[in-house]
Amino acid sequence: MFSGAANGTEVVDVYQKFPVAVAFPNADEGRCKEAVLINSSGGVAGGDEIRVEVVAEGTASVAVTTQAAEKIYRALDRPARILTRLRADGNARLAWLPQETIVFNRARIVRQTEIDVSSGAELIALEWLVLGRIESGEEVLGGLVQDSWRIRVDGRLVWADGFLASDSTFPQLSRTALLSNWRAIATMIYFGPRPEGRLERLREIGASLECAYGVTIVGAIIVIRVAAIASVDLRRGLRRFLDQLGHELGSGPFGVPKMWSC
């Protein structure tokens, strides 16, 4: 949990349990905190469960990322589960910017992202999936990927989304109407002031990327989709997007996390 303080942002409460730990590499920079989540087990296997909750209150300014890409390994039966809960209250600014989730062949993963924001807060949340790294010769032929989003503003559900791929649907994903040849896909959510004014600028930024992209507005939520054939291309595109977005939104947590360059 983070809160605004006289000298910027302070850590109010931290709870961590193996295998996930949290580090604060820029703990001395009071205005904006960057928190890094570390999975010391080296990956996620069938039956594993990871829960992450981030709360930013008052005038806190926080960016949360991960130490490295998360790897989802083959599962025989039970899926792994990852639940992420984000809450931004008051005038807090919160950026959830993990590195990619790499899904290996026959992996099984159920991921939920639940977000609660107050009308005065500003938030960016990113999740991206790599369905086999083409540069490493990997291919996902089966398994389970269930990825869902729920976003509430002042307690009211304003956006829900889901992606499902299973043993019966993986062979169909290469169809043009589905994923075509895109193996690396990302969804980014923006909530903040003047969303209509931000929309065109975000579309301009998306057009500068060497990736497929789409930007739309749903009520007060801007939804950005980015896709690429190779994960390295998607990473390059997201870095460019976040770099320009950080300049657009001014000082705060919305640029490229430092850990992405380590």
Side-chain angles (χ1 to χ4, degrees):
M1 179 181 290
F2 302 86
S3 181
N7 61 343
T9 299
E10 65 178 5
V11 180
V12 176
D13 185 38
V14 176
Y15 174 80
Q16 55 190 14
K17 183 178 180 180
F18 180 84
V20 177
V22 60
F24 302 96
N26 63 341
D28 292 331
E29 298 178 16
R31 185 177 60 180
C32 178
K33 296 289 188 187
E34 182 171 310
V36 179
L37 302 180
I38 304 165
N39 183 356
S40 56
S41 68
V44 179
D48 288 352
E49 185 170 321
I50 295 176
R51 292 175 178 266
V52 176
E53 184 172 4
V54 182
V55 179
E57 298 181 332
T59 57
S61 181
V62 184
V64 183
T65 187
T66 54
Q67 182 189 35
E70 192 63 271
K71 298 179 177 65
I72 313 298
Y73 295 113
R74 178 179 178 178
L76 297 178
D77 45 26
R78 292 186 301 161
R81 297 183 180 274
I82 300 177
L83 174 60
T84 302
R85 288 194 173 104
L86 310 175
R87 196 176 88 215
D89 293 334
N91 296 313
R93 308 180 83 198
L94 174 59
W96 171 254
L97 300 170
Q99 300 192 60
E100 67 268 37
T101 296
I102 302 171
V103 178
F104 289 91
N105 191 33
R106 304 296 176 184
R108 304 181 69 83
I109 175 69
V110 175
R111 185 171 67 182
Q112 298 170 260
T113 304
E114 300 182 1
I115 301 174
D116 286 273
V117 293
S118 66
S119 53
E122 191 170 16
L123 175 139
I124 285 177
L126 165 70
E127 288 288 3
W128 40 319
L129 287 168
V130 177
L131 303 176
R133 295 168 295 186
I134 191 171
E135 57 269 38
S136 299
E138 299 166 0
E139 188 173 4
V140 179
L141 302 174
L144 172 70
V145 177
Q146 184 176 325
D147 197 14
S148 65
W149 292 76
R150 298 291 184 272
I151 300 180
R152 295 174 177 84
V153 178
D154 295 329
R156 184 173 65 90
L157 181 67
V158 297
W159 192 71
D161 187 62
F163 173 85
L164 174 64
S166 62
D167 286 329
S168 60
T169 56
F170 266 110
Q172 313 301 323
L173 289 182
S174 60
R175 292 184 175 184
T176 303
L178 299 178
L179 292 186
S180 185
N181 57 351
W182 312 120
R183 295 195 188 182
I185 54 176
T187 297
M188 189 184 306
I189 304 301
Y190 172 79
F191 174 82
R194 304 180 303 279
E196 296 83 0
R198 301 279 190 212
L199 182 63
E200 287 307 315
R201 178 57 183 142
L202 293 179
R203 284 175 172 165
E204 291 174 4
I205 295 174
S208 70
L209 310 180
E210 296 177 358
C211 299
Y213 76 96
V215 183
T216 190
I217 189 168
V218 182
I221 304 294
I222 295 178
V223 181
I224 303 107
R225 311 276 196 184
V226 187
I229 297 174
S231 60
V232 292
D233 295 329
L234 181 58
R235 172 177 283 268
R236 186 183 305 113
L238 289 175
R239 285 183 63 94
R240 184 179 299 175
F241 192 98
L242 290 172
D243 183 61
Q244 294 186 59
L245 183 63
H247 286 93
E248 176 74 16
L249 299 181
S251 60
F254 300 129
V256 181
K258 296 181 180 67
M259 190 56 61
W260 284 28
S261 300
C262 295

